[in-house]
Amino acid sequence: MIAKLAKTCTLRISPQKLNFILLDKVANGGVSMWCELEQENFFSEFQMEGVSAENNAIYLELTSENLSRALKTAQNARTLKIKLTNKHFPCLTVSIELLSVSSSSRIVTHDIPVKVIPRRLWKDLQEPTVPDSDVSIYLPVLKTMKSIVEKMKNISNHLIIEANLSGELNLKIETELVCVTTHFKDLGNPPLASEDASQDRDPEQMAEVRIDIRKLLQFLAGQQVNPTKAVCNIVANKIVHFDLLHEDVSLQYFIPAFS
């Protein structure tokens, strides 16, 4: 999923969590991503030592496709170990024990080059703050949304997402020649978000944001399975924030408004 969303990303390793981070400058129209995995849900044994007791973390920059490709070979593995090693240059070494037909095992090793990020740059890699949204709404089935956006991409480079507090979401493209809108109804709004916002907002009033359609499509194409929870938060004319929860993985994805 990450490999489809970001060519290179930062892997943050801490005692409790692993994070995959992509923080492009939103001001320059870049998308941002913050993906979080609880290490205890993935590893039976986990040892790490950061820079110091107060800064107990490791930040690595890597090509996500390289890690994805290495892990794909481990689908029928007996064991899988990931270590940070130094082989003339820093590597994430993925060591996979595979069972062969004769019941003997063989070890396959992948050395993935990484760049260790110095501590002075960590401050730029913190979890993005989620701005107060005008409207928060549950998303429809992402596969359905993807097939619609794919068709719309042939007509325009930009897409308007608009939603209200009555569970309505519209995907809209407008050009000089044509206006196309897909309507979703009865999607529901997360309870807390709608309580906070509804105090001074008409439930029928739409909040909208105009974004680069390719960035939305890249996000939708990265979703391999339908998440257990998928929320879209719109800050009118500024940013759209997607918050997805897969079984053990949470993913936040930010697409800025098209200026």
Side-chain angles (χ1 to χ4, degrees):
M1 183 169 80
I2 302 293
K4 280 189 160 63
L5 295 176
K7 198 173 177 184
T8 59
C9 67
T10 300
L11 171 60
R12 176 184 181 269
I13 303 164
S14 67
Q16 277 79 39
K17 293 184 172 121
L18 274 79
N19 296 99
F20 290 97
I21 307 165
L22 173 70
L23 293 180
D24 281 350
K25 293 280 182 287
V26 168
N28 304 338
V31 297
S32 299
M33 170 188 79
W34 181 271
C35 182
E36 192 160 286
L37 293 73
E38 298 278 345
Q39 68 81 3
E40 63 182 22
N41 294 336
F42 292 87
F43 299 97
S44 55
E45 207 177 300
F46 189 87
Q47 295 168 327
M48 64 80 62
E49 202 174 310
V51 180
S52 64
E54 311 85 71
N55 296 286
N56 197 9
I58 301 167
Y59 286 75
L60 307 171
E61 190 180 288
L62 53 85
T63 303
S64 43
E65 180 59 37
N66 290 349
L67 181 56
S68 169
R69 209 177 291 139
L71 294 174
K72 268 179 191 161
T73 61
Q75 280 173 348
N76 300 316
R78 180 191 273 176
T79 63
L80 165 72
K81 287 180 189 168
I82 303 177
K83 294 182 289 190
L84 186 56
T85 57
N86 192 356
K87 303 196 174 182
H88 305 302
F89 49 83
C91 284
L92 259 191
T93 295
V94 179
S95 182
I96 301 159
E97 186 186 354
L98 295 170
L99 281 173
S100 65
V101 184
S102 61
S103 300
S104 60
S105 60
R106 58 196 173 94
I107 304 286
V108 178
T109 303
H110 298 264
D111 291 321
I112 300 160
V114 294
K115 194 166 111 192
V116 180
I117 298 173
R119 202 166 77 197
R120 67 176 187 279
L121 301 177
W122 289 9
K123 63 181 186 303
D124 300 328
L125 294 163
Q126 300 310 305
E127 183 172 358
T129 50
V130 181
D132 291 336
S133 56
D134 295 295
V135 167
S136 184
I137 191 166
Y138 290 116
L139 284 168
V141 175
L142 297 184
K143 251 188 191 165
T144 308
M145 204 169 154
K146 177 177 169 246
S147 63
I148 291 163
V149 175
E150 266 172 348
K151 293 182 181 80
M152 288 179 155
K153 182 175 71 81
N154 300 326
I155 307 170
S156 173
N157 292 330
H158 309 128
L159 172 102
I160 294 166
I161 298 184
E162 59 176 20
N164 63 18
L165 294 169
S166 296
E168 296 172 331
L169 172 80
N170 299 330
L171 303 177
K172 202 158 71 169
I173 47 173
E174 293 171 344
T175 70
E176 288 173 9
L177 300 172
V178 69
C179 175
V180 181
T181 308
T182 300
H183 302 273
F184 295 94
K185 291 191 176 350
D186 303 322
L187 293 174
N189 303 87
L192 274 174
S194 41
E195 276 167 27
D196 292 349
S198 60
Q199 289 165 5
D200 50 3
R201 188 178 184 89
D202 174 4
E204 301 297 319
Q205 187 191 346
M206 289 286 179
E208 69 168 51
V209 65
R210 186 167 174 257
I211 57 172
D212 185 329
I213 200 165
R214 289 162 306 179
K215 287 173 181 166
L216 177 61
L217 199 54
Q218 186 180 16
F219 165 71
L220 293 170
Q223 304 312 309
Q224 309 296 300
V225 287
N226 215 43
T228 43
K229 186 194 86 167
V231 173
C232 169
N233 300 306
I234 295 174
V235 183
N237 304 317
K238 286 196 177 153
I239 201 164
V240 60
H241 165 236
F242 296 101
D243 189 3
L244 306 189
L245 188 66
H246 296 273
E247 282 176 4
D248 295 321
V249 181
S250 70
L251 174 74
Q252 293 184 67
Y253 198 78
F254 300 79
I255 305 177
F258 196 87
S259 50

